Each structure stands twice: as C-alpha cells, then as structure tokens.
Amino acid sequence: MPSTTFPTAARAQAVRTSRARDADRADLDLIPWLTRLAEPERTRVVADLRVVDVAPGELVCRVGKPVTYWFGVIDGLLKMSNDSAGASGGIPITFTGVPPGGWFGEGTVLKGESYRYNIQALRKSVVAGIPAATFHWLLDRSIGFNRFVMNQLNERLGQFIAAREIDRLTQPDARVARSLAALFHPVLYPGVGEVLRITQQELGYLVGLSRQRVNEALTALQAAGAIRVEYGGVRVLDLERLRAWRV
DNA sequence: TCATTAAATTGTT
DNA sequence: AACAATTTAATGA
C-alpha cells in the first residue's frame, strides 16, 4: 500500500486520525461511475484510487487549498459549507450534506482552482478520491465518464436552487422535509437506499435546527406517512411528498 | 454464540 | 439543557 499523503488539507490534524487503506471490492461497488468505465481506463483508475477512513469533525478539504483530488463518499456523512471559519463573522452559512454515493468538487477540479468549500465529516466516514490528473485523463478519453460528470453538474445545479428555497423557508417541518428530500436524491446520491443513515442530531446540524425540533418535525412527517423514523436513520416512504412539503 | 456492559440515540420535559 | 428509555455495539467467557 502506497503511503501517499491524503487528504490534502488539514493534514496536520487529519493524519493523526485518518487512515489510508486499500479499496476493497465492497468499496468499489459503491462508486457509481466506476461501472461506466471500459477496461483500460478502469484499471488505471482503480490503481489511482485512494480510500481513507475519516474521523468525525475531520476536514477532507478546506477553502483555498489547491485542488488535488476529486472526492466521493463511500460511507458515512459529510458536511459541505461555505463558511470561512469565523473570519467573516456569523454570516448565514449554507450547509449541504453529502451522503454515500455523492461525488463533489468536479467543477473546481475542472477549472483547476482552489476549493471553495470546507468539507467536514459529520461522523466517521469512508471517503474515496482520484487525483485531479486522473480526473482530467478520464475526461479526455471516456465518454461514459463525461456523461456522468455532465449529468452530475446538471443535477447539482438543481440541488443548489432547491437549497436556496430551503434557506428561505421558515417552517421547521418544511426545512427538514426538503432537506431530507435533497439527501435522498437518487442521481446525486445513489448510495442512499431506502434508509438514510443520519441521526437527528446530525440532521439538526445540517438543517440548522435543534435536535428537539428536528425530532418534532420528523414525528410530523412520519404521522403524514412520508417517512418512517428509525433508530439512527430515516426511511423514506413518499419522496414526492417530502419534496412538496409546505407546512 | 450468548450474556453482560458500555455507548449511542431517541423521546420527552 | 437535562433526563430516562430504548437500541446498538463491544466485550469476554
């Protein structure tokens, strides 16, 4: 196993807790775009792929750091935020959860800029990544990969528009409902099945509500038959209902 | 594998 | 924020 440096940012604090390891077969099955690659490409990508365990609170990448990897979530839950760590005061912050199956930062990698977001693990997670060079190499020769990235960019645009709507919502139940619906996006987050593994605490952190209020909201959503609350997670019964939740 | 214990999560005040 | 109840994870025989 190569002892490469990874993830990039916050390595000083990360290297202590994160543990690089080889990707096993189970991990590979959870990378949605990998199945779309033909043989010569697939082999190189698997070789370049890095998989690490990330501890809760650990930063996967930080605003301003140069782009080195394109990341995806194998397991766990990450938080994407555009805050500047208190530098600009307590200004409204947009959070987005990244559940299993989600790959992000392709726009930044494409342009070769520095990261525009902080990506932080909300709980113990498994994160995969390919080097920016490999990403570009794939774009240059795999049509399947290009299709994936294009679709990804398109769907994500819709996500951000939805996120702005959610931010404007004041009703807690609606915020929770729509945020949940976003996390169950089948294209962006194919790793999320019927059940999303997320605690009410984590959901509260993501949506910007107290755990108690989230609990109340979830109870209401469950009573309406849109979801089922389970221990350490939520099962979606009616995704459309969640998306359209008003009050 | 099972029973016991510790930790995590939930529901409620 | 604090509490009790419940569920899961960890431990060791």
Side-chain angles (χ1 to χ4, degrees):
Chain A
M1 147 191 278
S3 61
T4 51
T5 57
F6 177 93
T8 62
R11 186 144 37 89
Q13 45 192 308
V15 84
R16 187 173 55 235
T17 43
S18 71
R19 184 167 61 87
R21 63 176 211 193
D22 284 322
D24 53 40
R25 277 187 217 87
D27 289 335
L28 297 186
D29 289 340
L30 295 169
I31 299 176
W33 47 268
L34 201 52
T35 60
R36 313 187 184 201
L37 299 185
E39 207 18 81
E41 289 85 9
R42 186 184 160 90
T43 301
R44 165 167 175 180
V45 168
V46 171
D48 287 353
L49 196 67
R50 297 287 176 272
V51 180
V52 292
D53 290 318
V54 185
E58 191 175 332
L59 283 166
V60 176
C61 63
R62 177 182 284 169
V63 170
K65 295 291 181 182
V67 172
T68 48
Y69 277 88
W70 181 51
F71 294 107
V73 180
I74 301 290
D75 187 40
L77 187 65
L78 306 184
K79 179 191 73 175
M80 177 186 286
S81 61
N82 67 350
D83 71 285
S84 37
S88 51
I91 292 174
I93 300 167
T94 23
F95 289 121
T96 307
V98 188
W103 285 72
F104 53 90
E106 60 278 343
T108 313
V109 175
L110 271 172
K111 289 183 281 187
E113 296 174 337
S114 47
Y115 291 114
R116 288 172 301 175
Y117 309 102
N118 285 324
I119 304 289
Q120 193 174 11
L122 227 39
R123 65 157 175 270
K124 187 179 186 310
S125 304
V126 181
V127 175
I130 60 171
T134 307
F135 180 87
H136 284 110
W137 182 83
L138 275 176
L139 278 184
D140 283 343
R141 52 187 305 164
S142 170
I143 290 179
F145 188 71
N146 274 275
R147 283 211 192 92
F148 176 86
V149 171
M150 196 179 299
N151 193 33
Q152 183 90 351
L153 288 168
N154 186 44
E155 296 287 354
R156 191 177 302 287
L157 179 60
Q159 283 282 92
F160 276 115
I161 292 171
R164 293 204 52 182
E165 282 186 37
I166 292 173
D167 274 339
R168 279 199 295 270
L169 293 175
T170 52
Q171 302 89 342
D173 288 10
R175 288 182 64 98
V176 172
R178 305 244 188 147
S179 298
L180 269 181
L183 289 173
F184 274 97
H185 195 296
V187 175
L188 287 175
Y189 312 125
V192 179
E194 299 265 294
V195 182
L196 174 67
R197 291 270 309 167
I198 188 172
T199 66
Q200 299 178 6
Q201 177 75 69
E202 291 166 337
L203 195 52
Y205 195 26
L206 225 50
V207 179
L209 295 171
S210 70
R211 182 179 69 80
Q212 291 90 323
R213 192 58 188 82
V214 168
N215 181 273
E216 197 181 333
L218 289 178
T219 303
L221 299 184
Q222 179 173 237
I227 63 170
R228 175 135 44 104
V229 179
E230 300 185 356
Y231 184 88
V234 175
R235 177 184 300 273
V236 162
L237 305 176
D238 190 343
L239 185 54
E240 282 311 313
R241 190 86 175 276
L242 277 185
R243 285 214 183 92
W245 197 277
R246 287 289 169 189
V247 179

